[in-house]
Each structure stands twice: as structure tokens, then as C-alpha cells.
Amino acid sequence: MTLTPTAARWLGELGEIDRLAELTGLPVRSTPRMPGEPREHPKVDVFAVAPATANTVAKLALGIADNQALSLLCEAVGSTPMLVFPRVNAAHARHPSWPSHLKLLQSAGVHLVYGDDVWPLYEPRDAGDVRPLLWAAILTGIERLLHPSR
């Protein structure tokens, strides 16, 4: 598991980093591995970017690899199956660049968990503070990427 710097701060504040490392049996990273440090993570079969902020989606679409998580993802686009769940609001989706970001990712083979049928868009602060994430749709999408013939 590799986190963006913001996700690392949030999950660190909540005391969840150690729990995630325990669940995966691997270190949770948010910074690059230093020279000489072992490569502890296995080869990735599929990337799941969930939840992805509008910022992460835009940077991924444009190839801006300015943190450890985006570096890995930008290197993987087009070569390793990838699912992205943009957890955005209606204001993000109204931005004139948003449709082109999604189109760029899809043209590179990125599977999006996105649309009114899976994540209706609300205006900022209109959906309440907590909306459950779409883990069933995310896991189904991952399964399809891992086993496309099923």
C-alpha cells in the first residue's frame, strides 16, 4: 500500500498506518525507498486508487508524478491494470478539464468506478460528512481486471 502525503497524514493521525501494515503484511509507504533499502513489495497485479481525490485524478491523467503514490501510478498507466474511484463532488466534475482527465485515463485502459449509478455527485458539503465508499463496486472492478475472461 502506498499513500499520498495527505492520506498518510490523515491515516497516521487516526493511528491506522500500523493496522494497514499488519493487515497487508507489508510496510505502508508514502515516501520513496532510499538507495540500499530492500524492495519489500511484490510485483503489483492491479492498482486500485480508491478513493482518489480530484487532485490525484488530474495529476495521474497529466502524468504529474510529484509524490510516491503518483510516481508508481504514472509509471504503471498502460502497463499494469488500474482501477480508479474518483471520490469527487459536483464542483470538481464541473471543472472544464475534468471530462478530459477521465477520457485520458480511459484511453490508457484505466477502469473508472464513476458515474451517477455508482457515485451520485453532490454539491460540496451537501452529502454530509461521511458517505460510505463503494467497496463492493471497487472489489468487483478489481476482480474483472484480474480475471477479464470471467
Side-chain angles (χ1 to χ4, degrees):
M1 182 172 289
T2 303
L3 305 172
T4 63
T6 301
R9 282 194 306 275
W10 288 350
L11 291 171
E13 223 15 71
L14 295 170
E16 294 292 323
I17 303 266
D18 290 339
R19 185 168 165 245
L20 290 170
E22 185 179 315
L23 285 170
T24 63
L26 297 165
V28 176
R29 293 185 42 204
S30 62
T31 58
R33 183 180 52 79
M34 296 303 292
E37 281 186 74
R39 294 180 185 263
E40 299 181 58
H41 294 84
K43 182 181 178 301
V44 175
D45 295 321
V46 63
F47 282 93
V49 188
T53 63
N55 185 54
T56 294
V57 172
K59 287 180 176 183
L60 180 58
L62 297 173
I64 300 172
D66 66 350
N67 63 56
Q68 177 61 24
L70 278 162
S71 292
L72 290 171
L73 295 170
C74 286
E75 290 173 354
V77 168
S79 64
T80 304
M82 185 179 300
L83 173 141
V84 175
F85 162 50
R87 188 188 184 286
V88 299
N89 62 39
H92 295 130
R94 268 196 307 275
H95 190 280
S97 295
W98 185 250
S100 65
H101 294 326
L102 298 181
K103 191 173 185 176
L104 276 169
L105 291 173
Q106 288 177 310
S107 73
V110 173
H111 175 78
L112 297 176
V113 176
Y114 183 77
D116 285 336
D117 56 330
V118 291
W119 187 258
L121 298 176
Y122 292 94
E123 292 301 320
R125 293 166 286 290
D126 281 356
D129 287 338
V130 178
R131 284 174 73 187
L133 295 184
L134 309 169
W135 292 117
I138 292 165
L139 293 172
T140 297
I142 291 168
E143 188 65 27
R144 286 186 184 139
L145 288 172
L146 286 171
H147 308 287
S149 59
R150 287 188 192 172

